[in-house]
């Protein structure tokens, strides 16, 4: 029986399923392991089941046991793993696409709504005794009938577009390549971000974290946006230059920002915490029971198929 090192505690049903197929080393305390703990703990294992909280960089990969042949990441994003280094060492890497598309797109809309309608300030006011309705109380920005720019029109970006159509928004997007008509569903393609940003009254960030998208939202690109725009980030913190964003929020160039993901999670740039025009969530994009179950099940399937000698459907390297 192959042995799998599972870096984080899974839902019980998922751990039971894994145990039916593999010998497993589970993490009952759910402590976030350091790279050296992962290297040490997985010495006698054949594969890893990792989570978004595990940075498996080049150095860690070089020190992993040569027994390890696969890293099944329980996430659609795999920026936490150096896939090239893994490939060079003969280690397959898989992710879990599709199953979290809807949950994450729901959160992307929540971020835009929470930010634009001042949900954070609303909560503070609601808890304050003596608040009262008035004509100019906490006036936000309405999403309906506006133009939304979607940065990254993969599965999640397209699911955001689908929801935005329900708000009668005009859908614009930028992607590495233009989608075909069927996937575009009338969305307007912009071949560069300057063009996309210049019309984005609302901007939803849904692109993966890659060297190309690192800090793609910076002081230069923020300037392309119309004043008083609203931004939501359900993708990755690395995509945003926090200092530039905090400056844009402080000057109201950006009306409000909703974010679920952070540079160096779980740390949050303290500049954000001083602002009221933000709406923060602690990386809840895929946090529904159904979705988490599906993600771990999909990672398990990738391991199972791989050890049967077949190509896993979600191989990314
Ligand atoms: C993912 O799958 O990439 C999500 O961010 C995990 O919650």
């Amino acid at each position: 029986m192959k042995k799998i090192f599972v870096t984080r505690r899974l839902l019980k049903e998922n751990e039971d399923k894994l145990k039916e197929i593999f010998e497993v080393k589970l993490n009952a305390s759910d402590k976030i392991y350091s790279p050296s703990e992962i290297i040490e703990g997985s010495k006698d294992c054949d594969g890893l089941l990792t989570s978004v909280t595990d940075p498996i960089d080049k150095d860690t990969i070089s020190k992993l046991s040569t027994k390890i042949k696969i890293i099944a990441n329980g996430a659609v994003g795999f920026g936490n793993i150096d896939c090239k280094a893994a490939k060079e060492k003969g280690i397959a890497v898989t992710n879990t696409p599709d199953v979290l598309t809807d949950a994450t797109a729901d959160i992307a809309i929540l971020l835009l709504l929470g930010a634009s309608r001042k949900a954070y300030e609303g909560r503070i006011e609601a808890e304050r005794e003596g608040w009262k309705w008035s004509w100019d109380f906490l006036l936000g920005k309405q999403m309906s009938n506006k133009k939304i720019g979607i940065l990254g029109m993969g599965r999640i970006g397209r699911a955001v577009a689908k929801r935005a159509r329900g708000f009668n928004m005009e859908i614009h997007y930028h992607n590495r390549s233009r989608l075909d008509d069927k996937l575009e569903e009338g969305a307007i393609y912009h071949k560069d971000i300057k063009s996309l940003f210049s019309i984005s009254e609302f901007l939803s960030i849904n692109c993966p974290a890659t060297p190309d998208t690192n800090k793609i939202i910076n002081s230069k690109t923020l300037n392309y946006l119309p004043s008083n725009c609203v931004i939501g980030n359900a993708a990755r913190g690395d995509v945003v230059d926090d200092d530039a964003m905090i400056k844009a929020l402080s000057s109201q160039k950006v009306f409000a920002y909703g974010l679920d993901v952070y540079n160096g999670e779980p740390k949050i740039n303290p500049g954000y915490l001083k602002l009221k025009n933000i709406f923060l969530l602690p990386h809840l994009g895929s946090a529904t029971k159904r979705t988490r179950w599906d993600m771990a099940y999909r990672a398990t399937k990738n391991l199972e198929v791989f050890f049967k000698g077949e190509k896993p459907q979600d191989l990314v390297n």
Side-chain angles (χ1 to χ4, degrees):
M1 216 181 207
K2 297 291 182 189
K3 194 165 180 179
I4 307 299
F5 184 81
V6 185
T7 59
R8 298 293 305 276
R9 186 175 62 222
L10 307 174
L11 299 183
K12 185 176 177 309
E13 300 88 320
N14 289 118
E15 293 193 341
D16 290 346
K17 179 77 198 162
L18 261 177
K19 283 192 233 166
E20 284 171 20
I21 313 169
F22 300 108
E23 201 182 323
V24 283
K25 271 189 157 175
L26 300 174
N27 178 354
S29 73
D30 202 28
K31 167 182 195 265
I32 300 187
Y33 293 136
S34 65
S36 53
E37 286 171 315
I38 293 177
I39 294 161
E40 193 52 38
S42 65
K43 257 186 179 159
D44 56 342
C45 295
D46 304 282
L48 303 180
L49 196 161
T50 53
S51 297
V52 68
T53 48
D54 303 312
I56 313 282
D57 62 11
K58 194 173 175 174
D59 182 57
T60 305
I61 285 173
S62 74
K63 293 175 183 155
L64 283 177
S65 157
T66 49
K67 257 175 84 80
I68 305 272
K69 294 293 172 227
I70 178 167
I71 301 171
N73 203 35
V76 66
F78 46 88
N80 56 314
I81 300 175
D82 188 326
C83 292
K84 188 165 165 269
K87 194 179 171 106
E88 277 161 17
K89 195 169 169 172
I91 300 176
V93 179
T94 60
N95 70 340
T96 61
D98 302 319
V99 290
L100 43 67
T101 299
D102 283 333
T104 309
D106 290 350
I107 285 280
I109 294 295
L110 175 63
L111 293 173
L112 291 173
L113 274 177
S116 62
R117 299 303 299 272
K118 298 184 178 261
Y120 169 62
E121 284 174 87
R123 167 81 198 240
I124 296 171
E125 287 298 321
E127 284 179 7
R128 190 174 61 80
E129 245 177 83
W131 66 270
K132 65 172 194 306
W133 185 97
S134 58
W135 285 101
D136 60 356
F137 184 46
L138 291 186
L139 302 184
K141 283 206 167 283
Q142 200 155 318
M143 262 174 69
S144 307
N145 309 312
K146 296 276 167 47
K147 293 189 176 90
I148 183 170
I150 299 177
L151 180 62
M153 197 67 155
R155 297 176 188 82
I156 296 170
R158 296 200 298 277
V160 171
K162 191 170 174 184
R163 285 154 178 74
R165 282 184 195 103
F167 288 83
N168 202 29
M169 299 183 94
E170 190 177 286
I171 319 289
H172 296 250
Y173 76 98
H174 169 70
N175 206 42
R176 266 173 314 177
S177 47
R178 185 170 179 171
L179 305 179
D180 63 34
D181 289 357
K182 198 160 160 256
L183 290 180
E184 236 176 29
E185 292 187 78
I188 299 156
Y189 176 65
H190 294 253
K191 74 175 185 322
D192 57 60
I193 63 168
K194 186 172 186 184
S195 160
L196 178 76
F197 283 19
S198 67
I199 56 77
S200 295
E201 296 168 288
F202 283 73
L203 176 71
S204 183
I205 305 170
N206 299 107
C207 58
T210 66
D212 287 342
T213 61
N214 191 44
K215 293 197 178 14
I216 197 168
I217 313 289
N218 53 47
S219 52
K220 183 171 169 206
T221 55
L222 281 165
N223 258 328
Y224 300 151
L225 288 157
S227 286
N228 276 310
C229 63
V230 176
I231 305 179
N233 184 2
R236 284 292 181 265
D238 321 45
V239 173
V240 174
D241 176 337
D242 289 331
D243 292 338
M245 179 65 89
I246 288 163
K247 222 169 149 192
L249 285 162
S250 307
S251 69
Q252 289 279 314
K253 164 77 187 173
V254 174
F255 179 77
Y257 180 38
L259 66 168
D260 187 40
V261 285
Y262 305 88
N263 272 304
E265 275 179 37
K267 287 195 206 115
I268 298 183
N269 187 313
Y272 286 127
L273 304 178
K274 294 187 190 131
L275 297 168
K276 285 199 174 150
N277 51 344
I278 53 159
F279 178 68
L280 306 173
L281 294 175
H283 205 144
L284 297 184
S286 62
T288 70
K289 190 167 181 193
R290 174 73 223 206
T291 299
R292 287 286 162 80
W293 188 91
D294 282 343
M295 289 162 70
Y297 184 76
R298 186 116 173 190
T300 303
K301 268 277 154 220
N302 284 323
L303 289 165
E304 189 180 16
V305 167
F306 179 82
F307 285 117
K308 271 190 194 151
E310 293 160 25
K311 185 176 166 197
Q313 66 167 331
D314 304 319
L315 189 69
V316 293
N317 69 342

